[in-house]
Amino acid sequence: RKEVEQDPGPFNVPEGATVAFNCTYSNSASQSFFWYRQDCRKEPKLLMSVYSSGNEDGRFTAQLNRASQYISLLIRDSKLSDSATYLCVVRRGNQGGKLIFGQGTELSVKP
Amino acid sequence: NAGVTQTPKFQVLKTGQSMTLQCAQDMNHNSMYWYRQDPGMGLRLIYYSASEGTTDKGEVPNGYNVSRLNKREFSLRLESAAPSQTSVYFCASKALAGANTGELFFGEGSRLTVL
């Protein structure tokens, strides 16, 4: 079982739709959680951190459930420019705090 | 605003050839990383250097070596390339390895094909 697992998609949604991505992690020592965005054939970039109380950044909402070892990302009012792959990332609490990446969920927003 | 610079961006090798991927960052970061990305596998850590003078193995170190030449530069060497090493390689840096921040800054990637 992979340490960080995501639904690979692709998710195909119309503009304006709300879409949710899920991620589970298996290492209970995981300490910090993040969502990265990766455009086609580009490098990943940090989208947002995920805090225990949940957090929002414009149209993006991230939530964490430590008991279930589950992270989510909600995108409201999808734009064409949201089309990308979204990577769930977990930082281990031990082993030097290495960052472990999920395989990514691909999102395609259509007109 | 160079950030993290990787060279070369593209390379084709024959099985058994050797090559070095170069990476340099100008953000005065302490920690540097090499990842590979394959379809369906996500990014996997090959080696990392928490600070100048130290290097450690990641998840998939076999077939690779690294050198942290100075604070700015972290190179990845393939001594005898194999087709299984065909991948996209990303170098990344972070201010501090243990800091409670997930912001890795990535280079643009190096696309390597081994025939």
Side-chain angles (χ1 to χ4, degrees), chain B residues 1-113:
Chain B
N1 277 9
V4 179
T5 304
Q6 289 180 235
T7 56
K9 288 190 170 41
F10 299 94
Q11 184 72 49
V12 178
L13 291 177
K14 294 180 180 177
T15 296
Q17 286 185 316
S18 62
M19 75 158 300
T20 300
L21 298 176
Q22 307 285 356
C23 175
Q25 51 90 10
D26 62 2
M27 296 173 283
N28 201 35
H29 285 171
N30 286 296
S31 305
M32 297 185 74
Y33 305 79
W34 276 105
Y35 287 88
R36 61 177 287 174
Q37 186 173 35
D38 303 291
M41 301 294 290
L43 281 101
R44 292 181 292 169
L45 183 63
I46 305 170
Y47 270 94
Y48 69 104
S49 171
S51 61
E52 187 179 356
T54 69
T55 60
D56 283 290
K57 295 178 181 179
E59 302 168 73
V60 288
N62 291 345
Y64 304 95
N65 284 302
V66 290
S67 295
R68 183 74 183 267
L69 303 168
N70 47 54
K71 191 171 185 180
R72 290 186 65 246
E73 298 172 287
F74 188 39
S75 63
L76 179 73
R77 183 159 178 84
L78 286 70
E79 291 290 352
S80 179
S84 61
Q85 294 178 304
T86 293
S87 188
V88 180
Y89 292 85
F90 286 101
C91 177
S93 72
K94 190 164 176 266
L96 288 171
N100 191 25
T101 168
E103 185 146 28
L104 280 173
F105 293 84
F106 284 87
E108 293 182 333
S110 299
R111 285 162 176 77
L112 176 65
T113 301

Side-chain angles (χ1 to χ4, degrees), chain A residues 56-110:
Chain A
E56 210 172 280
D57 183 1
R59 297 181 293 108
F60 298 83
T61 300
Q63 295 202 308
L64 167 65
N65 183 323
R66 283 189 186 270
S68 303
Q69 297 183 189
Y70 168 93
I71 305 152
S72 66
L73 177 68
L74 184 78
I75 305 176
R76 291 181 299 278
D77 188 23
S78 300
K79 311 290 185 194
L80 296 177
S81 57
D82 293 334
S83 297
T85 296
Y86 291 83
L87 305 170
C88 175
V89 183
V90 170
R91 178 174 170 265
R92 288 178 179 165
N94 51 9
Q95 296 186 342
K98 287 201 283 279
L99 294 173
I100 307 299
F101 285 75
Q103 74 269 42
T105 298
E106 185 182 343
L107 172 66
S108 180
V109 181
K110 307 291 187 186

